[in-house]
Amino acid sequence: MSTTNVTPNHSTSALDSLSGSLIVSCQARPGEPLAQPGIMRLMAQSSIEGGAGGVMAGGPADIREIREVTELPLIGLWKDGRRGTVYITPTINHVISVIEAGADAVAIDATFRPRSDGGKVEELIDAVHSSGSLAIANISTKDEGIAAIDKGADAISTCLAGYTDYSSMKTGPDFSLIESLASSTSTPVIAEGRISTPADFVRALSCGAHAVVVGRAITNPESITRSFIKTSQAVNFD
């Protein structure tokens, strides 16, 4: 495959092609060992070799590098700010930067929480559409999902379920939210958040998810190692 000048596919066909697929989120938080130039591009290539149907990437630099090596649908976002606040692609300037880096779709925080710049979700969605891209609304509740659809979102993601003060945190994926949304709308529902096993992936699809995002369980060795250690420590080998 060519590694230069790949043109993004800014159309609904990008979402159509993701139906039933695994989207691998290739992101590293600042300060983590893998937060280095070129690493997420390699992670994306490895995931694609394994059969991923799409890739998610954070920040213009990583989006740009991954765009150079794949024509698969690329969902971009930019985390900027403090966790627990609206920090996933929070402003129109962030949206524009993500699109210019080569993303086919932009993930934005579409929760009911106040935004630091006073902006509105519909303004970000309009900015995404004005650039010919797709808007994926990250939500934490069913009401937020329906509201985002009414505001023009092309898809909704359960990414933030359990991460707002008013949504319930579960030990695993929020399958009930996935199923409730999928049965209430024809807009694609992307299952995301604490999906950590192949069984979770299959169950999310059976709940009606259009596609499923898996991140740390695939792309974060530290998190994966910690889960092995935690499990072993909980077992009495005597």
Side-chain angles (χ1 to χ4, degrees):
M1 177 182 294
S2 170
T3 59
T4 58
N5 299 323
V6 176
T7 302
N9 176 17
H10 298 310
S11 71
T12 54
S13 63
L15 273 177
D16 293 340
S17 68
L18 286 172
S19 179
S21 72
L22 173 66
I23 302 167
V24 177
S25 178
C26 299
Q27 300 182 67
R29 295 175 182 171
E32 292 181 341
L34 297 184
Q36 304 290 335
I39 300 298
M40 290 302 107
R41 176 176 59 192
L42 296 174
M43 193 72 75
Q45 288 178 291
S46 295
S47 300
I48 292 165
E49 289 292 328
V55 177
M56 178 177 287
D62 281 347
I63 295 169
R64 193 172 295 110
E65 288 191 349
I66 293 172
R67 178 80 283 167
E68 290 177 347
V69 298
T70 185
E71 297 177 353
L72 289 178
L74 176 54
I75 300 171
L77 61 139
W78 188 352
K79 294 178 178 177
D80 189 12
R82 180 173 55 84
R83 289 177 66 84
T85 64
V86 175
Y87 81 120
I88 298 177
T89 327
T91 70
I92 289 177
N93 286 338
H94 290 89
V95 165
I96 293 171
S97 295
V98 166
I99 293 171
E100 289 179 344
D104 299 297
V106 183
I108 63 172
D109 183 315
T111 63
F112 292 153
R113 296 177 294 184
R115 315 180 79 86
S116 61
D117 68 343
K120 298 179 179 179
V121 171
E122 53 265 41
E123 294 172 341
L124 270 68
I125 292 175
D126 288 345
V128 173
H129 289 162
S130 294
S131 298
S133 299
L134 302 169
I136 298 179
N138 288 350
I139 54 84
S140 67
T141 66
K142 182 178 179 180
D143 286 345
E144 288 175 344
I146 300 303
I149 293 169
D150 290 341
K151 293 170 183 174
D154 300 291
I156 48 178
S157 164
T158 58
C159 168
L160 293 172
Y163 296 107
T164 57
D165 292 340
Y166 47 84
S167 61
S168 59
M169 171 61 78
K170 301 181 182 297
T171 56
D174 194 336
F175 293 113
S176 59
L177 177 60
I178 296 166
E179 188 168 25
S180 180
L181 284 167
S183 64
S184 301
T185 179
S186 59
T187 298
V189 176
I190 298 176
E192 183 177 1
R194 301 181 297 281
I195 296 172
S196 57
T197 68
D200 288 344
F201 169 53
V202 173
R203 184 176 174 185
L205 292 176
S206 72
C207 287
H210 180 78
V212 181
V213 175
V214 178
R216 299 178 71 82
I218 293 177
T219 61
N220 189 293
E222 179 183 343
S223 178
I224 297 167
T225 302
R226 188 179 295 113
S227 70
F228 275 86
I229 301 301
K230 182 177 180 180
T231 301
S232 68
Q233 292 174 338
V235 177
N236 185 353
F237 295 101
D238 295 335

